[in-house]
Amino acid sequence: MPERRVVIIGGGLVGSLAACYFAKRGWTVDLYEKRPDIRLPEHSDLVEHRSINLAISERGFSALRRLDPELEARVHECVIPMHGRMIHSLDGKQTSQAYDVFGKHINSVGRSTLIKLLLDEASSSSRVRLHFGHEFVQADFDTGRVVVRDVERNQETPIDADLIVGADGAFSRVRQRMMTKVLMNYSQTYIEHGYCEFSMAPRDGEFAMNPNHLHIWPRGSFMLIALPNLDKSFTCTLFMPWSQFSRVKSDADIAGFFREHFPDALERIGERRVCAEYATNPKGSLMYVKCTPYTYKSRAVILGDAAHAMVPFYGQGMNCGFEDIEALDRIMVRILREGDKTGDSSVTANLSDEQLHRALDEYSALRAVDTSAIVDLALENYVEMRAKVVDYVYLARKCLEGLLHRVFPRRVIPLYTMVSFTSIPYADVVKQWNRQTVWLHRSVRTVAAAAAIGIGIVSARTLGPHLQSLRELARMVAGKR
């Protein structure tokens, strides 16, 4: 069979992992990335202060595991376990809230660390060629002709591909081009909040705070978070409405703001560093994207943020993008096996155009429902992180669910556990959560009613003739007399 070529636009986390997957399945891979190679020392800081720290959990590890268990093990060596949230109150008190009653945890990992590891993995394959400093210009999806431009030389080059993969982020140009060929439903929504990063240096060579937690300073309409890094620093991110950012202009403003709302963080970061980094670090916007379909015939597919950008508050953006690749790979392998019982059922480069078309259509229909669900969940989790984590009703439900999950681990599963520690499809997670919520509310009402009846019976037996006077007192308190 002739060589099958895939052109991947975007050399970030999703694009580099996709390159590894396609190479493993027998494809010739050309990956094009607009930025320089961040593995080179002179370009190593390109991702710093421009993106929020990553948290990798089961869905991300599952995709790495399917590709190569040894790669998963190498990633495990680069992460710091975070067993729960550490809530910082105004008076400096810290309260730990575990993520899971069985001790499961998410993991902090540096974006640049993980990208470099995946690029190294991709470049180790003889089937992969990496082209940095090249931007996507246009594509003819019917013929598979892609045009890229060498940014430095301003020189355009055409490339022929059997499959075009857009992994070029939330502002995907591949997606924009696809929209001229596909009746694509598309929405892009900015939220009224932005973010700014700060760094918390080690103290005396050690972490300035407990490294095995995601630290949160919840303040209602805004919050500060901090994730640990391997160099024993923390990356801190301030999320708040743009209207508040606009009021914080000078060094005195930001120092006073931290002193009022995050005094213990200010003491650990240092006032001089807070002022300097607020003045120099960019203020990032937060938005989410929904679209469907994700594919065009047998010729093109978009993955990761290009298909479903989300706000970062569930730590699922990268995990969901990695799961995209695993889901697509599973579908392609299954369809290949259904059509060929004798050949190598792992070499998806052997898929016919008709089989590939069917695989892409199935992938788009499957993932669009799930990714829409996690985009919504991520947005809702922002309210939880900045406000609900100190709400007594939220904490009571979390405690009750944890107890029930320990007793009935398959029947009652907390929402966070389903999202972060399983591979249950996101849409099914939402359905189960809604059913669980109804069941929990009914159970709480039943328990409350039973307790009231029990108290009434005990009171009747104990108080006897005094009950009438208690009724009279109750009427008086209620203002009915």
Side-chain angles (χ1 to χ4, degrees):
M1 192 168 181
E3 177 184 82
R4 298 275 270 178
R5 181 180 303 277
V6 57
V7 166
I8 300 175
I9 305 299
L13 292 162
V14 172
S16 54
L17 182 63
C20 297
Y21 260 86
F22 279 105
K24 179 179 179 179
R25 300 305 185 193
W27 295 74
T28 296
V29 182
D30 281 289
L31 183 149
Y32 293 88
E33 167 57 45
K34 182 178 180 179
R35 297 173 300 179
D37 188 347
I38 66 167
R39 295 173 298 174
L40 301 177
E42 61 267 31
H43 304 308
S44 61
D45 63 343
L46 284 177
V47 296
E48 302 302 325
H49 310 303
R50 288 176 171 82
S51 56
I52 297 153
N53 259 37
L54 299 172
I56 186 169
S57 52
E58 172 55 27
R59 295 174 197 269
F61 280 125
S62 177
L64 296 171
R65 192 181 310 131
R66 178 173 173 83
L67 176 68
D68 182 0
E70 292 185 5
L71 176 62
E72 181 197 13
R74 292 203 300 276
V75 173
H76 270 291
E77 294 174 358
C78 302
V79 306
I80 299 176
M82 297 186 294
H83 295 276
R85 298 165 173 161
M86 186 68 79
I87 309 303
H88 293 247
S89 60
L90 267 176
D91 62 5
K93 180 182 178 182
Q94 299 182 33
T95 306
S96 175
Q97 295 180 2
Y99 283 130
D100 182 75
V101 295
F102 296 110
K104 295 177 182 177
H105 55 82
I106 61 175
N107 305 272
S108 176
V109 61
R111 184 179 297 267
S112 60
T113 299
L114 190 52
I115 291 177
K116 290 173 184 177
L117 193 154
L118 292 176
L119 287 174
D120 284 343
E121 182 71 15
S123 60
S124 69
S125 171
S126 61
R127 294 183 178 275
V128 177
R129 290 182 296 185
L130 304 178
H131 310 268
F132 296 98
H134 285 74
E135 64 178 351
F136 173 81
V137 178
Q138 63 176 334
D140 183 332
F141 294 112
D142 289 306
T143 65
R145 173 64 60 92
V146 180
V147 178
V148 297
R149 178 186 294 116
D150 184 317
V151 176
E152 184 176 340
R153 299 176 182 175
N154 195 29
Q155 180 179 334
E156 294 186 358
T157 304
I159 311 107
D160 292 320
D162 297 286
L163 178 63
I164 302 164
V165 175
D168 49 340
F171 301 99
S172 170
R173 296 177 71 178
V174 176
R175 182 188 66 230
Q176 292 173 14
R177 189 68 180 176
M178 278 181 62
M179 291 172 73
T180 66
K181 299 291 292 184
V182 178
L183 295 176
M184 181 181 288
N185 294 313
Y186 169 79
S187 66
Q188 172 185 300
T189 307
Y190 284 91
I191 69 171
E192 296 179 357
H193 294 240
Y195 71 92
C196 182
E197 283 194 355
F198 301 86
S199 58
M200 183 183 293
R203 278 192 169 184
D204 301 322
E206 297 297 331
F207 286 102
M209 303 182 294
N210 185 319
N212 298 123
H213 284 79
L214 189 160
H215 292 259
I216 306 178
W217 290 257
R219 300 297 183 260
S221 63
F222 58 93
M223 69 176 181
L224 181 73
I225 68 170
L227 280 78
N229 300 308
L230 288 176
D231 64 0
K232 298 188 178 181
S233 68
F234 281 86
T235 298
C236 307
T237 310
L238 172 64
F239 298 95
M240 68 179 180
W242 285 113
S243 58
Q244 286 185 272
F245 273 115
S246 66
R247 294 195 295 267
V248 180
K249 300 176 180 179
S250 65
D251 286 354
D253 290 340
I254 188 62
F257 180 81
F258 264 73
R259 196 175 297 114
E260 178 181 358
H261 299 291
F262 315 119
D264 61 324
L266 179 64
E267 189 270 332
R268 289 181 172 91
I269 300 173
E271 184 171 321
R272 182 176 298 179
R273 184 187 293 269
V274 166
C275 294
E277 294 189 348
Y278 185 80
T280 58
N281 290 351
K283 314 300 184 291
S285 58
L286 298 166
M287 52 89 84
Y288 58 93
V289 167
K290 290 185 178 183
C291 69
T292 183
Y294 296 156
T295 59
Y296 177 71
K297 296 182 179 179
S298 64
R299 289 295 193 179
V301 59
I302 51 176
L303 303 171
D305 284 355
H308 46 72
M310 66 191 74
V311 293
F313 304 113
Y314 230 121
Q316 286 295 301
M318 175 192 63
N319 291 286
C320 183
F322 281 10
E323 191 176 57
D324 285 350
I325 301 165
E326 180 180 4
L328 177 60
D329 183 69
R330 287 185 182 278
I331 291 170
M332 292 171 70
V333 169
R334 175 173 53 76
I335 288 178
L336 179 64
R337 288 174 177 170
E338 290 171 356
D340 184 4
K341 306 294 184 181
T342 58
D344 188 340
S345 60
S346 68
V347 181
T348 60
N350 292 334
L351 286 166
S352 68
D353 284 347
E354 185 277 329
Q355 288 175 314
L356 185 56
H357 190 170
R358 186 152 55 93
L360 296 186
D361 281 351
E362 183 177 332
Y363 166 78
S364 182
L366 173 74
R367 287 302 283 172
V369 177
D370 285 327
T371 56
S372 178
I374 188 57
V375 167
D376 291 339
L377 286 172
L379 190 61
E380 293 167 8
N381 206 51
Y382 184 28
V383 179
E384 178 174 315
M385 291 178 71
R386 61 184 166 85
K388 288 187 177 180
V389 289
V390 291
D391 179 79
Y392 289 115
V393 174
Y394 163 83
L395 294 173
R397 171 166 180 162
K398 180 179 172 66
C399 180
L400 176 60
E401 276 189 323
L403 291 172
L404 293 173
H405 180 50
R406 187 179 289 277
V407 178
F408 309 107
R410 295 181 181 274
R411 183 174 177 81
V412 180
I413 310 176
L415 178 62
Y416 195 93
T417 296
M418 286 190 282
V419 170
S420 298
F421 305 131
T422 77
S423 293
I424 300 172
Y426 292 119
D428 292 345
V429 165
V430 173
K431 291 176 183 177
Q432 180 164 340
W433 170 250
N434 289 336
R435 289 194 302 267
Q436 206 165 279
T437 297
V438 171
W439 179 80
L440 278 170
H441 286 173
R442 287 176 179 171
S443 299
V444 169
R445 285 198 297 268
T446 300
V447 170
I453 292 170
I455 291 171
I457 292 172
V458 171
S459 299
R461 291 177 177 175
T462 304
L463 299 175
H466 298 290
L467 275 178
Q468 185 63 33
S469 61
L470 287 176
R471 292 193 191 99
E472 293 297 318
L473 179 60
R475 290 194 190 98
M476 292 174 63
V477 170
K480 294 183 179 179
R481 181 176 176 178

